[in-house]
Amino acid sequence: MIEQTTGGSLVLLCAPARAGKSTYGQKWLSQIDNHKKVIVNSDHVRLAISGQRYNKHSEPFVHVVTDAMVKSLFIGGWKVLVDETNTLISSIRKWLSIDHHAEVIWLNTPIDVCLARATSTNQEDLFPVIRRHFKNIEKLADYGGCPSYYSLYKRLDASLNLLRIETNPNSLYIPLVEIKGEEAPPDVN
């Protein structure tokens, strides 16, 4: 585990494929603030390693490289936006083990919009992936890790805008920002 003695911070996106994560990331990156900011996108790592959108044989290496990039930038004092789906509690825990105060940004894009975007880019092969992501998000909601369409504020202290994440026996509360599919990012400092 990395000690929290650096100036870095993590921002995690939590959303299914084709929800607008990269679009959000570009808007986030363009915000003017006093932080060195960067986006780490595992899809770009996949393309750099295998030249393909997905190759099951290269996935373990993709994860090792992505993790090393995020950790390195965090140690270097960067504010890192992790542009991944993060629809599994294990992925959220992994990032929270690096930055206990990571901000989780939920993109609340409806499934029909995600499927339509996949169709418009000739990526119908993503349909089962998108459906799996939505099922994972429902499981996260039941676990308390991410809001869902059906139980948006389950295990959420709405008055404090904190989401309970079970990362250890002393559960952790982290800031939650909900963004509807096409909205601009909030001021993130």
Side-chain angles (χ1 to χ4, degrees), residues 6 12 18 26 34 40 59-60 78 85 98 104 107 118 127 129 131 136 140 145 148 152 164-165 167 174 180 186:
T6 67
L12 312 177
R18 307 304 301 159
Q26 291 305 310
N34 295 326
V40 175
E59 279 302 293
W78 287 80
T85 59
I98 296 169
V104 177
L107 301 183
F127 283 8
V129 174
R131 289 185 180 102
N136 291 345
L140 278 174
S148 74
L152 188 56
R164 184 172 188 215
I165 302 286
T167 57
I174 60 171
K180 297 215 169 38

Side-chain angles (χ1 to χ4, degrees), residues 12-187:
L12 312 177
L13 296 181
C14 178
R18 307 304 301 159
K21 294 179 300 298
S22 296
T23 301
Y24 175 88
Q26 291 305 310
K27 291 176 183 177
W28 173 85
L29 194 59
S30 69
Q31 288 180 327
I32 298 172
D33 61 24
N34 295 326
H35 300 303
K36 301 183 295 184
K37 298 192 302 189
V38 65
I39 298 170
V40 175
N41 182 313
S42 57
D43 290 337
H44 296 162
V45 175
R46 283 183 186 89
L47 289 173
I49 290 172
S50 70
Q52 300 172 1
R53 192 170 43 130
Y54 176 80
N55 179 319
K56 70 177 182 177
H57 301 294
S58 64
E59 279 302 293
F61 190 57
V62 167
H63 292 288
V64 168
V65 170
T66 301
D67 294 357
M69 290 172 64
V70 170
K71 288 176 187 175
S72 174
L73 291 161
F74 176 81
I75 290 168
W78 287 80
K79 188 170 191 174
V80 183
L81 183 123
V82 182
D83 184 355
E84 293 188 354
T85 59
N86 293 310
T87 62
L88 296 171
I89 194 65
S90 58
S91 63
I92 294 171
R93 279 183 173 157
K94 173 179 68 175
W95 301 125
L96 289 174
S97 74
I98 296 169
D99 180 2
H100 303 293
H101 304 289
E103 179 180 11
V104 177
I105 297 177
W106 165 247
L107 301 183
N108 192 5
T109 308
I111 191 169
D112 57 326
V113 172
C114 296
L115 294 170
R117 289 176 179 170
T119 299
S120 71
T121 55
N122 295 318
Q123 295 178 326
E124 289 88 355
D125 59 311
L126 287 178
F127 283 8
V129 174
I130 292 167
R131 289 185 180 102
R132 184 179 71 240
H133 288 160
F134 274 85
K135 286 181 183 176
N136 291 345
I137 290 165
E138 284 304 310
K139 289 176 187 174
L140 278 174
D142 291 340
Y143 189 78
C146 195
S148 74
Y149 298 104
Y150 307 108
S151 53
L152 188 56
Y153 293 110
K154 189 172 193 175
R155 296 187 185 152
L156 177 68
D157 182 339
S159 65
L160 298 176
N161 201 32
L162 297 175
L163 177 66
R164 184 172 188 215
I165 302 286
E166 301 286 341
T167 57
N168 58 46
N170 307 318
S171 65
L172 177 67
Y173 286 84
I174 60 171
L176 169 72
V177 177
E178 179 194 0
I179 304 296
K180 297 215 169 38
E182 296 296 328
E183 289 182 19
D187 289 335

